[in-house]
Amino acid sequence: MSTDDMDKSQLAAVLQILKKYNLKGTEELLRKEANLSSNLGDGSLQQSSDVSSVLTGYKSDGDPETYEDCYMELKRFVEGSLDIYKHELGMILYPVLVHMYLELVYNGHTEKAINLMRKFGPEQDPYYQDDLRKLALVTKRDHMNGNELTDTFKSNQFIIRMSRDTLSLLKRHLNDKKASVLLNIIQEHLYFDMYEGVARNKNQIDATSGAVGGEAKRQDNKTKVYYGIPKAPDIQSLAAPVEDEDEAADQDNPDKPKKKKAKKDPLFSKKTKNDPNAPPSDRIPVPDLKDNDKLEKIKAYREASKRVTLGPEYLPSVCCYTLLNANYTVTCAEITEDSSMLAVGFSDSIVKVWTLVPQKLKSMKTAEQLQDVNVDAEDVLARMMDERSGETSRSLYGHAGPVYSVSFSPDRTLLLSCSEDTTIRLWSLQIWTCLVVYKGHMFPVWDVKFSPLGYYFASASYDRTARLWATDHYQPLRLFAGHFSDVDCVQFHPNSNYVATGSSDRRVCLWDCTTGNHVRLMTGHKSPIMSLAFSVCGRFLASAGADCKVLIWDLSHGHLVAELTGHEKAIHALAFSRCGNILVSGGLDCMLKVWDFTKLTEEISSEEVNVSHNPDVRIGDDYLLRSFATKSSPLISLHFTRRNLLLAVGMFDGVPT
Amino acid sequence: MSKSSENELYGTNLSMESMKVIAESIGIGNLPDDAAKELAEDISFKLKHIIQDAAKFVHHSKRTKLMPSDVDAALKVKNLEPQYGFQSSEPLPFRFASGGGRELHFIEEKEVNLNDLLQNLNAKAPLEVSLRSHWLCIDGVQPTIPENPPPVAKNIQKLESVDPINKKPAKETSGKPTTGKQKLRNVETVQIKQLATHELSVEQQLYYKEITEACVGSDEARRAEALQSLASDPGLHEMLPRMCTFIIEGVRVNVVQNNLALLIYLMRMVKALLDNQSLYLEKYLHELIPSVTTCIVSKQLCMRPELDNHWALRDFASRLMSQICKNFNTSTNNIQTRITRMFTNALNQGDKVPLSSLYGALEGLSELGAEVIRIFVLPKLKLIGARIETHLQGSITSNIEKIASEHIKQLLIKVVAPVLKNIKNSPDYVEEYKQEYGYLGPALHAAVLKARTQPTPSTTAACNISTSLTNVSATITRTVGQPSQILQQHPQLVQNTAGPQRTIMMNQTGRVTNQINNQKILFVTQRPPTPGCQPSPQPQQNTVVKFVSNTNTLNQQKMVTAQKLGITHAAQAGQSPISVVSKSSYQQAPTKKPEQMQPPTSIDDLSHLV
């Protein structure tokens, strides 16, 4: 299909929708703009452009009797081939089966289709069974209309990575047999990503397969990713002038010795060496730091100097915050970067914020009172707050559905929440009201995250898109589309230049905020992905989800480097220690697992990798340092304080297990 | 996924009958079969789709169970009207019923009386969500606090006791960090101790000390707290062997001493351990069952059998025994069978068995249930009746035996009557009863008649046993000699300053004091402070537990061996603490390091004083 045709049919579809909703003005404008004759989208086209045009790919005059034989033939060929090629060849069985099934269903041979699936469905790899079960629901042509999974199979080629030798073997077989059914399917719906080298073995294949659209193409992971962390924006020059100020403000704290200063300097200088993989600091525009932010930065550095370096010998201490009386009502939780506040989202649309420190949650004075505040005072921010209004927890009301995620801004004055009611709300933590309602997603929003620099935030939704927003724009800046199913989670890279998304199509994707393109596409999960975390160095990405595994990805080439198994139920929380040595994961199985990340990175860096050579995936619990059980409290959030104390948030499930 | 379940996938369409029933319910009388079939298929497909979508909402609500609200949300996403009014607080509101070859799932709809709602102005508000913080682990070690799960889960304890080879490596279960140093030590000691490491931390040793002292001490409030702790603390697993040793040694000594109060205290400890949800006691039953049995059937349990209520102890211990049977009886250990056989043997021995033991055996059997009574007690009724008749009617026998016989009679009437009521048919004749049960016949007859007229009395007397026993033991303590008096007698020895409000909790390192460290428990037997204040046939002796500072008692008190209570406070000595060790090795220990090591807590029977 040429691009022209494609455009035309798409336009026709758009016109049809406009017509359907009676949007005459828009329809006319579009027609004018597209220079279309008015007959497009009328009568004859109306039928074809909708359902059927999308599905014509399955129109086939193949004899329904031949499908089963065809598949048997292919299976026999795969099983009879040499051991080294067998597993790679085996990868085509699943997509061929799926497309045969869909073709049969589309052409009305339901009985044949069901027989085919019954016979060969159960012998597919276990990670495909979920999708096969979903496909098995589709038994009529009508069912294919608007079905997420069948649409994905129809409109996307299933990608299979294959070595040159294996592929030529397959081609020879296909040429010999001349089975039109098989040839059609392979030509129309399969894409072979050929590489030079030895064919992969079963383990290697299993490690990266399982995603809805097949594996990632090499082309997907070729773009350079600036995964480094840029040096802190001239914090040293910042530090000098601000410090005096800071010191002055701290005068009521006389026991703070002066020698702190000397101790701090090496800490700053350590950061100054430039990371070759870091993006230029002006790659994305960021609002200037305010004085308050600078103070905050210095405070953070000071805290960091007291940090405990964790490792196998120095395991973290964990403080667990358990939410009581919260059976089935808590949906998400998040702790501020400085560990002073905890926000919890509930299924009854409420967002509740607790303070975790002795300082109460204060609200701002009224407008009249604010006029009396001396604007030039040093502590004007403190003076703005009403001392008498302090409370240990505050509730934010506004959503109209379960709140699926909350996220604090780095300066702790703003809070984002997203909900089933399709909106994202921005709340002020100074006046404790909603500031903005971002309406853009048309379906429930699963996740929202503030950028580490503030200002930007990203959201993930049921509508299969992730979006990048800025707090001062009510419309998204970027729309990251490409996932085949819900985008379940989103995470900013520590340098804010990239956004990672995890989806129900079992793929992890890294998007460039500046261009909006995907720069990494990583397959290997076998279930929806629920949690993502970037390593402190920015090079690695950890992802975990309903398949109870934590996968570690190397972003430099998009390789899967490790698969950490041990959990028994879905994992919903991942966190790296501030020193980067430890990875912790927590899930619905009420377990907290501590993994040795240093050991992993050391082993990885000793291995030579490039874009075409996949490293061996490390499996097993060699890296598991310890696991801790909570008392029937599923963990929903994990957070390391600046001093590397681990805070866990769980909800007590009163029903004993 | 197995083949069979894959096949089921296609068969799970709603049935045509359902469609027709639903059609009828909305007024479509005769739905054609074809239409019903089409509808069934279509609706099944749509329902499955909705459920698939609802699963997404389950995931994002971080739950594992589907709830009605998820289905609502899935409908909403598909732009369908949600199901109004279908809210359920439970995850699965469906009830199942079957009958006449048909199976049915339905939702139980309770009738709600609106008047109740209208009148009840103060409707119960749901509890507010609250936040509680606690340490999940400290430097990689998980503290055993109530907020954390027990260090060794009950099922693992069970597995260990059933199949010790399967014991998981310590790394997995205990929360201790395996640093290089520790590993080395394990390697070194592996030749000496093979399976379990019986290490107790200083805190655990202190806890053990506090608990045992409180359990057998004189302060009832402290004892209640200690028992509460034993019954609820999750981290007792490691010191369980010591607790059990303490109990069995205590029973052994105090049965000889006829100290009823202490036996009651020890049985209450057993009860507390049985009640603890996080412990699996099977490994220690071979020690506990004999002790409990002793308290049921021992010939003499108290100083003055005619006055003291040792019957209460026998009843209490019997209930414990039935609880043990209920909890731990398996087809492999046959506990219930063995215990039943043991008690039955006592019945079969005829006149050789003392009456008190006979009472115990009967009580023990009767606690095991109606069936046991029917099979084992009923046939013996005539014999027992004849025996107690001689004591009750005859004038030659002692007072003690008369009381015992009276108790046996009451017991038998109490427990046998409900059984008889069920196995005998309504017209009851005194003669028949007399014929069958001899001396007890008339009394049983009366009791059965009474039982028939009354509605079935509840047989759950067990619920208040502990309280009644508390009263008994309290009174006994008061009558047999005030422990406070004893303490006053040795003022120079008394160092007990522990307040009654102490919360007994493990891992409170702050509470380590020197004072506690040089105390030890002594079971001291004691002549009555004022002779003749109680009329008693023998010189009275009580065992009391006191705190004695160890410096000036060491040479005074005769130290009796170690194996009685194999507890040492060896942690300070830096030596790996010992558990129940062999007698010989233990006796060497104090001589080796007398200056560093605390002497073992000992039970002093002081038989030389008597």
Side-chain angles (χ1 to χ4, degrees):
Chain A
M1 206 188 274
S2 74
T3 38
D4 238 24
D5 285 349
M6 191 89 138
D7 280 353
K8 258 194 181 147
S9 71
Q10 275 177 357
L11 262 178
V14 171
L15 285 173
Q16 215 182 317
I17 286 170
L18 292 175
K19 197 162 200 159
K20 187 177 163 196
Y21 291 103
N22 214 11
L23 302 167
K24 285 200 181 109
T26 322
E27 190 189 339
E28 251 158 49
L29 272 177
L30 186 64
R31 273 177 202 280
K32 219 185 273 172
E33 237 173 80
N35 262 339
L36 289 173
S37 55
S38 57
N39 66 348
L40 186 67
D42 284 354
S44 58
L45 254 170
Q46 200 145 10
Q47 293 303 314
S48 57
S49 62
D50 192 30
V51 191
S52 36
S53 80
V54 178
L55 294 172
T56 37
Y58 285 119
K59 194 116 189 127
S60 154
D61 356 296
D63 180 6
E65 305 294 332
T66 59
Y67 280 82
E68 199 175 313
D69 294 342
C70 235
Y71 185 84
M72 282 294 280
E73 185 87 43
L74 183 67
K75 204 178 131 192
R76 229 172 289 138
F77 160 68
V78 168
E79 279 165 1
S81 55
L82 284 174
D83 273 359
I84 42 165
Y85 305 124
K86 197 164 147 184
H87 301 298
E88 274 200 347
L89 283 175
M91 290 160 69
I92 68 166
L93 287 175
Y94 168 70
V96 165
L97 176 72
V98 167
H99 285 289
M100 278 185 169
Y101 177 80
L102 292 179
E103 248 175 45
L104 284 172
V105 168
Y106 182 78
N107 291 309
H109 310 297
T110 306
E111 278 303 306
K112 290 264 177 275
I114 288 178
N115 277 340
L116 184 77
M117 191 61 104
R118 244 182 224 175
K119 201 161 174 190
F120 302 110
E123 63 190 35
Q124 303 299 322
D125 283 312
Y127 41 83
Y128 289 129
Q129 295 299 337
D130 254 2
D131 280 352
L132 285 175
R133 240 171 290 155
K134 284 185 192 166
L135 280 173
L137 297 185
V138 177
T139 51
K140 288 211 170 69
R141 190 191 283 201
D142 293 354
H143 294 167
M144 294 164 88
N145 181 11
N147 189 304
E148 178 185 291
L149 198 59
T150 52
D151 281 0
T152 304
F153 272 108
K154 158 70 191 73
S155 48
N156 296 281
Q157 288 182 313
F158 194 92
I159 294 149
I160 294 171
R161 265 198 205 171
M162 226 175 234
S163 71
R164 178 186 287 278
D165 297 349
T166 325
L167 190 58
S168 58
L169 198 69
L170 178 68
K171 276 183 178 156
R172 213 175 314 139
H173 170 78
L174 293 175
N175 282 337
D176 287 354
K177 289 291 160 204
K178 297 209 168 36
S180 65
V181 175
L182 195 61
L183 266 176
N184 257 349
I185 286 176
I186 288 179
Q187 268 166 9
E188 292 272 321
H189 303 296
L190 265 60
Y191 176 92
F192 294 101
D193 188 36
M194 191 187 68
Y195 65 91
E196 306 285 338
V198 230
R200 293 176 292 166
N201 61 27
K202 184 75 181 148
N203 283 349
Q204 284 170 320
I205 291 168
D206 279 351
T208 53
S209 51
V212 168
E215 289 173 278
K217 285 184 247 181
R218 267 179 312 158
Q219 199 59 40
D220 288 326
N221 290 331
K222 276 222 165 115
T223 328
K224 178 170 169 58
V225 170
Y226 299 100
Y227 57 77
I229 312 295
K231 68 173 184 181
D234 47 359
I235 192 79
Q236 206 157 24
S237 59
L238 258 178
V242 179
E243 199 163 328
D244 295 338
E245 220 178 294
D246 181 45
E247 221 60 30
D250 265 359
Q251 261 174 4
D252 54 334
N253 216 350
D255 56 349
K256 200 161 265 177
K258 271 282 175 210
K259 63 187 168 193
K260 269 275 151 59
K261 211 169 177 179
K263 207 173 157 192
K264 200 160 47 192
D265 286 336
L267 198 80
F268 287 133
S269 57
K270 204 174 79 182
K271 281 272 171 189
T272 53
K273 67 167 186 271
N274 227 336
D275 190 335
N277 292 310
S281 58
D282 56 352
R283 195 161 177 271
I284 56 162
V286 183
D288 291 333
L289 287 177
K290 286 174 278 190
D291 284 356
N292 203 35
D293 300 331
K294 292 170 188 167
L295 284 179
E296 185 60 37
K297 275 235 150 66
I298 286 163
K299 207 170 134 200
Y301 274 115
R302 220 177 251 167
E303 282 273 315
S305 67
K306 296 177 194 159
R307 190 170 70 198
V308 187
T309 307
L310 299 174
E313 305 285 318
Y314 300 97
L315 289 167
S317 297
V318 188
C319 179
C320 190
Y321 288 96
T322 307
L323 292 153
L324 303 172
N325 310 325
N327 278 357
Y328 304 131
T329 59
V330 172
T331 45
C332 60
E334 159 114 348
I335 296 176
T336 54
E337 194 271 337
D338 72 340
S339 319
S340 65
M341 280 187 277
L342 165 71
V344 176
F346 291 88
S347 58
D348 53 4
S349 322
I350 299 172
V351 177
K352 206 164 179 182
V353 182
W354 273 275
T355 173
L356 301 179
V357 287
Q359 282 81 38
K360 297 265 177 79
L361 302 174
K362 292 173 199 143
S363 73
M364 209 183 269
K365 288 175 179 168
T366 58
E368 297 92 63
Q369 285 171 314
L370 278 178
Q371 286 184 337
D372 303 336
V373 174
N374 179 5
V375 185
D376 300 326
E378 291 271 302
D379 56 344
V380 63
L381 286 175
R383 288 192 192 192
M384 274 157 53
M385 307 312 281
D386 187 354
E387 288 302 314
R388 286 163 303 166
S389 63
E391 279 174 48
T392 52
S393 76
R394 279 169 178 276
S395 300
L396 301 166
Y397 304 95
H399 277 298
V403 180
Y404 287 122
S405 181
V406 284
S407 179
F408 283 102
S409 74
D411 62 358
R412 300 187 305 283
T413 55
L414 299 169
L415 176 76
L416 279 168
S417 64
C418 66
S419 160
E420 188 263 347
D421 66 7
T422 75
T423 63
I424 301 164
R425 278 175 187 259
L426 182 73
W427 309 86
S428 162
L429 300 185
Q430 286 170 322
I431 51 176
W432 301 97
T433 52
C434 183
L435 300 176
V436 192
V437 182
Y438 300 97
K439 293 176 181 167
H441 289 289
M442 297 303 289
F443 286 99
V445 188
W446 295 134
D447 199 6
V448 67
K449 282 269 162 38
F450 247 115
S451 137
L453 300 173
Y455 185 60
Y456 296 108
F457 66 93
S459 63
S461 163
Y462 179 97
D463 64 11
R464 304 184 214 172
T465 63
R467 298 178 192 209
L468 180 76
W469 311 69
T471 46
D472 55 2
H473 289 61
Y474 59 85
Q475 282 183 323
L477 306 176
R478 297 280 182 275
L479 210 139
F480 305 124
H483 277 296
F484 296 145
S485 186
D486 302 31
V487 186
D488 292 307
C489 54
V490 65
Q491 184 75 51
F492 265 98
H493 190 279
N495 67 22
S496 282
N497 281 257
Y498 298 95
V499 167
T501 54
S503 160
S504 286
D505 67 6
R506 307 191 277 278
R507 304 192 299 175
V508 179
C509 207
L510 189 73
W511 308 85
D512 190 335
C513 292
T514 48
T515 63
N517 294 331
H518 75 261
V519 289
R520 290 288 175 269
L521 185 62
M522 294 163 289
T523 59
H525 270 290
K526 318 285 188 246
S527 286
I529 297 150
M530 290 296 169
S531 182
L532 294 164
F534 281 95
S535 71
V536 175
C537 60
R539 183 176 166 187
F540 298 98
L541 172 66
S543 65
D547 55 0
C548 314
K549 289 180 209 159
V550 182
L551 301 192
I552 312 284
W553 312 91
D554 183 350
L555 293 179
S556 58
H557 298 299
H559 290 315
L560 173 66
V561 291
E563 185 178 305
L564 308 175
T565 50
H567 279 282
E568 283 157 13
K569 282 186 187 163
I571 301 166
H572 279 289
L574 285 172
F576 281 95
S577 71
R578 299 273 177 143
C579 56
N581 295 341
I582 297 280
L583 168 68
V584 290
S585 60
L588 297 186
D589 57 355
C590 306
M591 292 295 274
L592 175 74
K593 291 195 185 281
V594 183
W595 310 90
D596 188 347
F597 196 68
T598 319
K599 189 177 165 195
L600 185 67
T601 46
E602 274 167 8
E603 287 185 23
I604 291 163
S605 57
S606 65
E607 196 178 348
E608 192 65 38
V609 284
N610 55 46
V611 71
S612 55
H613 170 244
N614 273 22
D616 286 337
V617 178
R618 288 161 183 78
I619 301 181
D621 50 9
D622 289 357
Y623 307 100
L624 180 65
L625 290 176
R626 181 101 36 239
S627 50
F628 301 106
T630 64
K631 195 169 182 178
S632 34
S633 312
L635 293 172
I636 53 170
S637 177
L638 293 167
H639 170 85
F640 274 98
T641 68
R642 288 169 180 169
R643 298 188 190 185
N644 258 345
L645 172 73
L646 178 58
L647 306 180
V649 184
M651 43 185 174
F652 181 64
D653 186 356
V655 190
T657 47
Chain B
M1 162 132 300
S2 70
K3 222 163 200 164
S4 64
S5 53
E6 186 72 20
N7 282 342
E8 279 164 24
L9 211 54
Y10 299 94
T12 50
N13 276 355
L14 294 171
S15 65
M16 281 171 14
E17 286 77 26
S18 304
M19 290 302 114
K20 286 182 178 170
V21 169
I22 294 167
E24 269 172 39
S25 74
I26 54 167
I28 301 170
N30 47 352
L31 193 71
D33 275 6
D34 285 354
K37 188 165 172 280
E38 284 291 315
L39 266 178
E41 274 175 20
D42 191 49
I43 288 173
S44 304
F45 173 76
K46 295 219 160 101
L47 277 180
K48 285 175 189 173
H49 247 259
I50 288 164
I51 299 294
Q52 261 180 28
D53 252 17
K56 289 179 181 172
F57 291 89
V58 178
H59 271 306
H60 285 282
S61 302
K62 302 186 173 71
R63 277 185 266 119
T64 47
K65 285 176 184 150
L66 183 76
M67 289 176 60
S69 60
D70 300 319
V71 180
D72 279 350
L75 288 170
K76 196 173 158 191
V77 158
K78 295 201 174 297
N79 221 359
L80 300 167
E81 191 115 335
Q83 297 289 299
Y84 294 108
F86 187 75
Q87 287 297 324
S88 167
S89 53
E90 38 185 344
L92 207 61
F94 298 101
R95 303 280 176 274
F96 176 74
S98 63
R102 288 159 64 102
E103 293 176 340
L104 186 67
H105 289 271
F106 63 98
I107 304 159
E108 196 175 34
E109 283 182 296
K110 289 193 189 113
E111 266 181 37
V112 179
N113 191 347
L114 287 179
N115 271 337
D116 287 355
L117 285 179
L118 289 174
Q119 281 158 12
N120 187 6
L121 295 175
N122 299 325
K124 214 168 145 192
L127 291 165
E128 202 192 357
V129 175
S130 60
L131 193 65
R132 184 191 176 105
S133 64
H134 65 89
W135 288 107
L136 186 64
C137 87
I138 299 165
D139 293 334
V141 181
Q142 191 161 25
T144 40
I145 48 174
E147 287 89 345
N148 285 335
V152 182
K154 204 169 171 184
N155 50 5
I156 296 172
Q157 288 182 41
K158 187 172 177 178
L159 193 73
E160 266 177 41
S161 64
V162 177
D163 190 4
I165 304 156
N166 269 347
K167 192 183 176 192
K168 288 200 173 172
K171 186 194 165 196
E172 276 279 323
T173 50
S174 76
K176 285 170 196 153
T178 48
T179 55
K181 204 173 123 199
Q182 270 217 337
K183 266 187 190 146
L184 252 182
R185 225 172 70 182
N186 280 347
V187 172
E188 280 167 359
T189 53
V190 77
Q191 286 156 342
I192 311 158
K193 287 174 197 166
Q194 294 212 323
L195 250 181
T197 47
H198 286 282
E199 286 182 31
L200 287 193
S201 63
V202 182
E203 291 85 1
Q204 283 173 319
Q205 293 176 42
L206 283 172
Y207 172 82
Y208 169 82
K209 207 171 153 64
E210 288 280 318
I211 287 286
T212 48
E213 279 167 8
C215 280
V216 294
S218 57
D219 186 341
E220 187 57 39
R222 263 191 92 199
R223 174 165 30 254
E225 270 179 57
L227 290 173
Q228 173 64 32
S229 166
L230 278 182
S232 59
D233 269 356
L236 298 179
H237 167 66
E238 282 181 342
M239 55 182 78
L240 201 51
R242 289 163 171 83
M243 289 291 175
C244 290
T245 314
F246 178 85
I247 292 167
I248 58 164
E249 288 302 329
V251 169
R252 190 178 299 171
V253 170
N254 288 294
V255 158
V256 178
Q257 305 288 332
N258 292 328
N259 191 319
L260 182 59
L262 269 181
L263 287 174
I264 290 176
Y265 299 155
L266 290 166
M267 284 303 109
R268 288 173 67 190
M269 282 179 79
V270 176
K271 166 106 176 108
L273 290 176
L274 280 174
D275 286 346
N276 193 321
Q277 289 301 316
S278 65
L279 295 178
Y280 191 74
L281 284 178
E282 202 195 49
K283 257 197 280 193
Y284 309 100
L285 287 183
H286 69 283
E287 296 181 321
L288 289 176
I289 287 181
S291 299
V292 176
T293 316
T294 304
C295 291
I296 300 174
V297 296
S298 176
K299 185 176 150 194
Q300 196 180 356
L301 288 170
C302 54
M303 294 315 307
R304 296 152 296 137
E306 74 281 9
L307 291 176
D308 293 339
N309 188 0
H310 59 97
W311 315 105
L313 173 61
R314 293 179 200 272
D315 294 353
F316 183 72
S318 301
R319 274 174 213 129
L320 279 183
M321 189 64 98
S322 86
Q323 193 180 346
I324 289 174
C325 287
K326 216 166 26 192
N327 289 357
F328 300 102
N329 191 32
T330 63
S331 56
T332 44
N333 62 19
N334 284 324
I335 290 177
Q336 173 137 8
T337 321
R338 286 152 75 178
I339 285 169
T340 315
R341 192 179 301 144
M342 182 179 71
F343 286 137
T344 320
N345 283 343
L347 297 191
N348 288 338
Q349 283 171 13
D351 285 356
K352 275 185 287 180
V353 181
L355 283 174
S356 48
S357 303
L358 184 65
Y359 174 87
L362 287 170
E363 172 69 28
L365 283 174
S366 60
E367 285 296 334
L368 295 175
E371 195 62 11
V372 173
I373 296 171
R374 193 176 65 80
I375 294 171
F376 296 103
V377 179
L378 282 190
K380 298 280 167 205
L381 276 184
K382 208 167 178 179
L383 278 177
I384 297 167
R387 188 171 168 200
I388 58 176
E389 186 180 9
T390 57
H391 295 298
L392 286 174
Q393 308 295 333
S395 50
I396 41 160
T397 47
S398 73
N399 198 23
I400 295 175
E401 280 167 335
K402 197 168 177 182
I403 293 172
S405 300
E406 189 55 42
H407 269 98
I408 291 175
K409 188 180 170 189
Q410 295 306 326
L411 169 73
L412 284 174
I413 288 166
K414 194 182 87 195
V415 302
V416 171
V419 180
L420 283 180
K421 189 191 112 187
N422 287 335
I423 61 172
K424 288 220 173 261
N425 288 329
S426 191
D428 301 293
Y429 302 108
V430 186
E431 288 72 27
E432 191 188 320
Y433 273 81
K434 220 170 186 171
Q435 175 88 34
E436 225 170 308
Y437 306 117
Y439 167 69
L440 289 169
L444 282 173
H445 178 251
V448 170
L449 279 185
K450 199 177 163 197
R452 284 201 203 281
T453 55
Q454 284 169 348
T456 359
S458 65
T459 48
T460 52
C463 54
N464 54 6
I465 47 168
S466 49
T467 48
S468 64
L469 201 69
T470 315
N471 298 337
V472 171
S473 62
T475 49
I476 288 165
T477 325
R478 248 173 271 125
T479 53
V480 267
Q482 303 292 333
S484 55
Q485 283 178 319
I486 298 159
L487 290 175
Q488 281 156 11
Q489 275 215 321
H490 300 276
Q492 78 278 17
L493 300 183
V494 177
Q495 248 200 346
N496 176 14
T497 51
Q501 268 92 29
R502 269 192 181 174
T503 47
I504 289 142
M505 178 78 82
M506 292 168 55
N507 286 320
Q508 292 193 333
T509 35
R511 281 183 50 229
V512 182
T513 59
N514 289 334
Q515 179 215 10
I516 290 167
N517 278 342
N518 47 30
Q519 286 176 357
K520 64 197 191 77
I521 308 173
L522 284 181
F523 281 72
V524 188
T525 46
Q526 177 85 40
R527 287 176 191 284
T530 46
C533 74
Q534 297 280 348
S536 57
Q538 302 156 11
Q540 189 190 7
Q541 36 175 281
N542 311 317
T543 305
V544 291
V545 177
K546 1 185 267 177
F547 295 88
V548 192
S549 81
N550 105 54
T551 44
N552 45 6
T553 46
L554 251 179
N555 22 15
Q556 289 174 14
Q557 308 285 342
K558 179 185 163 199
M559 257 184 52
V560 183
T561 52
Q563 92 272 27
K564 292 213 167 170
L565 264 188
I567 290 303
T568 56
H569 303 272
Q572 307 112 309
Q575 181 199 0
S576 87
I578 323 154
S579 67
V580 184
V581 282
S582 76
K583 191 173 176 179
S584 57
S585 70
Y586 187 81
Q587 278 172 335
Q588 285 164 3
T591 51
K592 264 193 244 165
K593 290 183 179 172
E595 69 287 337
Q596 299 156 316
M597 217 172 115
Q598 293 293 320
T601 316
S602 64
I603 299 173
D604 194 339
D605 63 3
L606 292 197
S607 45
H608 62 292
L609 289 180
V610 183

